[in-house]
Amino acid sequence: MITLDMMPPLMFGGLVLAMLIGFPVAFTLAALGLAFGFLSIHLGFFDLNFLQAIPGRIFGSVLSNELLLAIPFFTFMGAILERCGLAEDMLDSMGQLFGPIRGGLGYSVIIVGFILGAITGTVAAQVIAMALISMPVMIRYGYNMRYITGVLAASGTITQLVPPSLVLIVLADQLGKSVGDMYLGAWGPSVFQIFLFAGYTFLLSIIKPDHVPAVPKTALTLTGWPLWKKCLLGIIPSAVLIFVVLGTMMLGLATPTEAGAMGAIGAIVLAAIHHKDLSSTGHKMVIIGIVATGIGAIIGMLIGDGTIFKLIFAVVYIAVVWICLEAVRIPDLRDLIKQGYETTMRISTMVVFILIGSTCFSVVFLGVSGGVWLEHMLTSIPGGVWGFLIFINLFIFFLAFFLDFFEIAFIILPMIAPIAQKVLAPVVGPDAALIWFGVMLCVNMQTSFLHPPFGFALFYLRGVAPKEVKSSDIYWGALPWIGLQLIMVAIVIAFPIVVTGLLDKPLDVDLSKVKIEVPQIELPPLDFGQPKN
C-alpha cells in the first residue's frame, strides 16, 4: 500500500527516470503531475477539487506574468545582434589591439565575449560567431588547439551570467525577487569571472608560452588611431545599448519589460548602423539622433521634464523610426528581423510549455506534502548552511549533465527556494538571501554548457570547427574552464559580499524605539445647548 510519505520520493524518482529516458521535458512534467494527481485522488490524499489549482496557477502565475514578457524582447535583441556583424568588427579590432602580446587573441575573445554577453544573452550565437571568426586566426598563429576550443566555448557561456541574461530573468521570477536586484548581484561574479579567465591565460603565457604565442606585428593591418577608432566604433554603440537596457532598469526609469522593448528596438538600430547599405540620409538621422539625445539629456538635468525636453526627444523618436524603416528597406536586415521573430517564437513557446508542465508537477508535489519532505531532507544535511550549499551545488552540477537551465530553473528551483530562504537568511539577511542563492546557481549552471554529455557549447563548437579540430580536443579543452567556473562557485559561496556588495543595504531600525508623534489639534469647545431655531 502506498502511503502519503512515499509519494514525494516516488514523484521525484519518476521525474529523474523520465528525464533519463529523454522524452520532452514539458510533456513529461505534465504527464507525471497528472498521473500522480489522479493516483493521489484514488488513494484519498486529496479530492478532485484540488486539481483546480493547476489551471488557476497557469492562468494566474504563468500566462498573466508580466515579467516573463521580458524574455521575448531580450531573445529578439540577441537574435538580431548575433548576426548583424557587430561581433566580427569587435573581434577583429580587439584581436589586432591585443594580438602583439602573448595570449592576446585569448584576451580579445574573453573581452568580446563579455561585451557580447551584455548585449545578446544567447550562448549559441556567441559561441558560433566567435568560433567562425577567431578559430581560423588562432590556428593560423599557432595557438594550442585545446586552449582555442576551451576559451571559445567558455567565453560563450559568459552570457549566462552577465546581465541582461535570460537566466537571471527566469531566476528572479521563480525566486520572487526583483530583476534589477538580480542583475546587481550578478555584476560582481561576472566581472570576477573575466579576471579568472584572463588570469588563467596570463598564467599559461608564462608557463607554456608556445601555447599562446604573440601575433607578429607585421601581420597587423591596422595600427595607431585607425585601430583605436575601429575599437571605439564597436564598443561605444554597445555601451550605449547596455545603458539603455540595464541603466534605465537599475535607475528605476523602466521595468524589465520596457527595458527589453527598448533593447529590441536598439538592436535593430545597431544592426542598421553597422550595415554597409545604410543610406546617407540614414547616417544623417543617426547623427541627428545622437545630438538630440545629448541635448535632451542636458536639458533634462538642468531644467527638467518640460516642453523643450519633449520636443527634442520627439526628434530622437523620429530618428529611431527612420532608421528602423531603413532596416526594413535593406533585404539582408529584413531577412534578419524575420529570423529574429522565428527564434523568439520558438524559445518563448518552449519556455511557456515548460512552465505549464512544471506547474502541473509542482502543484501535485506540494499537495502530497513534497515541500515538507524536501525541507526535512535538506535541513538535516550535516554542516548547517555550508553543508546545504555544497550539497545543493553538487546536486545542480549533476543535474546540469542532463537538463537545460530552463528545466532546472522551472522544476527544481521552486521546490528548494523556500528552504534556501529559511537557511540562508541568518547569513546575509532575508532580503539578500535568495539573490545570493540565485546568482550562485546561475554561476553553477554555466557549467551545463561545457561538460559532457550535453554540453551544448561543445556541440555548437563541433558544428562550426574545421575538420582538423578533433572532438577530443574540444572536450579536453573545456575541462580547465569548467574548473575555473567551479572555483567561481566556491568564491561566491565563501564570500557572499561578491554578490551582495552592490545591493541596497536593509534599513537597520529598532522597532522598539520607533515613536509616532501625532500633533495635538485644538478643537473648539463642544456646545451641548439647545438647538437654535
Side-chain angles (χ1 to χ4, degrees):
M1 181 66 181
I2 299 176
T3 62
L4 181 62
D5 293 338
M6 297 170 61
M7 289 295 287
L10 283 176
M11 287 190 71
F12 201 80
L15 175 64
V16 173
L17 181 62
M19 295 299 177
L20 293 176
I21 292 173
F23 198 70
V25 174
F27 305 120
T28 298
L29 287 169
L32 278 173
L34 293 175
F36 277 95
F38 288 122
L39 178 62
S40 299
I41 292 171
H42 175 72
L43 296 174
F45 300 142
F46 50 73
D47 58 21
L48 186 61
N49 292 329
F50 181 81
L51 295 185
Q52 292 179 355
I54 294 176
R57 285 273 296 275
I58 290 172
F59 285 99
S61 302
V62 178
L63 300 182
S64 63
N65 189 339
E66 293 185 3
L67 179 59
L68 295 178
L69 284 175
I71 292 177
F73 287 125
F74 284 115
T75 303
F76 179 79
M77 183 179 75
I80 295 296
L81 292 173
E82 71 188 29
R83 303 184 184 94
C84 72
L86 182 66
E88 289 89 335
D89 291 344
M90 291 180 68
L91 281 169
D92 179 54
S93 58
M94 288 290 180
Q96 296 201 51
L97 185 64
F98 291 100
I101 63 175
R102 281 185 299 189
L105 294 179
Y107 294 132
S108 67
V109 167
I110 294 168
I111 293 171
V112 173
F114 178 75
I115 296 173
L116 289 178
I119 59 175
T120 62
T122 52
V123 172
Q126 204 158 314
V127 172
I128 292 170
M130 292 197 300
L132 287 172
I133 300 160
S134 297
M135 184 176 280
V137 178
M138 298 176 85
I139 292 174
R140 185 190 316 149
Y141 292 111
Y143 273 64
N144 179 268
M145 188 61 71
R146 292 184 178 179
Y147 175 80
I148 295 173
T149 57
V151 73
L152 287 171
S155 298
T157 64
I158 291 173
T159 188
Q160 292 296 100
L161 182 60
V162 180
S165 164
L166 289 180
V167 182
L168 295 173
I169 295 175
V170 172
L171 289 173
D173 176 67
Q174 295 299 300
L175 294 172
K177 305 302 289 185
S178 161
V179 175
D181 286 345
M182 194 67 73
Y183 283 171
L184 285 173
W187 273 118
S190 59
V191 172
F192 207 103
Q193 189 172 64
I194 297 302
F195 283 110
L196 272 180
F197 288 176
Y200 172 73
T201 302
F202 178 74
L203 191 63
L204 200 63
S205 69
I206 296 174
I207 298 174
K208 295 182 178 180
D210 57 310
H211 283 201
V212 286
V215 176
K217 292 186 177 180
T218 55
L220 303 179
T221 58
L222 290 174
T223 56
W225 170 243
L227 175 57
W228 281 101
K229 180 182 177 182
K230 189 172 183 179
C231 290
L232 293 174
L233 287 176
I235 293 174
I236 291 176
S238 304
V240 171
L241 184 60
I242 292 170
F243 173 76
V244 167
V245 175
L246 296 178
T248 55
M249 195 188 317
M250 292 179 180
L251 292 173
L253 302 176
T255 65
T257 304
E258 292 166 346
M262 289 191 292
I265 296 297
I268 296 175
V269 171
L270 209 57
I273 292 172
H274 271 80
H275 201 278
K276 63 182 185 301
D277 292 337
L278 183 66
S279 67
S280 59
T281 306
H283 285 289
K284 292 176 183 176
M285 294 303 290
V286 171
I287 296 172
I288 291 171
I290 293 171
V291 172
T293 301
I295 295 173
I298 293 171
I299 291 175
M301 288 186 291
L302 296 178
I303 301 176
D305 187 2
T307 305
I308 300 176
F309 176 84
K310 293 177 182 178
L311 288 174
I312 290 175
F313 268 92
V315 175
V316 177
Y317 297 149
I318 292 170
V320 169
V321 171
W322 184 278
I323 296 169
C324 290
L325 292 175
E326 288 262 350
V328 175
R329 179 188 62 81
I330 300 170
D332 290 346
L333 292 182
R334 190 165 59 245
D335 293 339
L336 180 60
I337 294 171
K338 180 184 175 183
Q339 293 171 13
Y341 286 143
E342 293 171 350
T343 302
T344 302
M345 181 184 67
R346 284 195 299 270
I347 293 180
S348 301
T349 304
M350 177 195 71
V351 169
V352 170
F353 269 100
I354 292 177
L355 270 171
I356 291 173
S358 65
T359 300
C360 292
F361 184 87
S362 63
V363 166
V364 176
F365 187 76
L366 294 175
V368 294
S369 302
V372 177
W373 170 76
L374 201 59
E375 180 178 355
H376 175 73
M377 183 179 69
L378 293 178
T379 53
S380 61
I381 295 172
V385 174
W386 311 113
F388 168 79
L389 289 177
I390 292 170
F391 174 81
I392 288 295
N393 278 280
L394 289 175
F395 179 59
I396 295 295
F397 180 75
F398 171 75
L399 286 181
F401 278 80
F402 310 101
L403 300 181
D404 185 56
F405 72 87
F406 277 124
E407 297 156 3
I408 293 174
F410 291 142
I411 302 168
I412 306 301
L413 203 56
M415 299 181 189
I416 60 178
I419 307 166
Q421 173 71 33
K422 181 178 178 181
V423 173
L424 303 181
V427 180
V428 294
D431 294 330
L434 289 182
I435 300 292
W436 178 35
F437 186 64
V439 172
M440 185 191 309
L441 295 190
C442 186
V443 178
N444 194 331
M445 285 190 284
Q446 277 186 301
T447 61
S448 67
F449 286 89
L450 289 181
H451 56 51
F454 303 120
F456 290 108
L458 307 183
F459 292 160
Y460 303 143
L461 204 58
R462 177 68 279 174
V464 298
K467 293 182 179 179
E468 61 264 27
V469 179
K470 300 177 183 178
S471 296
S472 59
D473 288 332
I474 294 176
Y475 282 99
W476 283 107
L479 291 182
W481 305 90
I482 295 174
L484 292 173
Q485 290 179 338
L486 292 178
I487 290 172
M488 191 65 239
V489 176
I491 290 172
V492 173
I493 292 175
F495 304 101
I497 191 68
V498 175
V499 174
T500 61
L502 294 177
L503 299 178
D504 293 333
K505 299 294 185 291
L507 296 176
D508 187 12
V509 179
D510 187 355
L511 296 179
S512 63
K513 296 181 180 179
V514 174
K515 295 181 180 180
I516 301 176
E517 296 182 357
V518 179
Q520 298 295 325
I521 302 175
E522 293 186 5
L523 297 175
L526 296 177
D527 184 6
F528 295 103
Q530 294 295 325
K532 297 178 180 179
N533 294 328

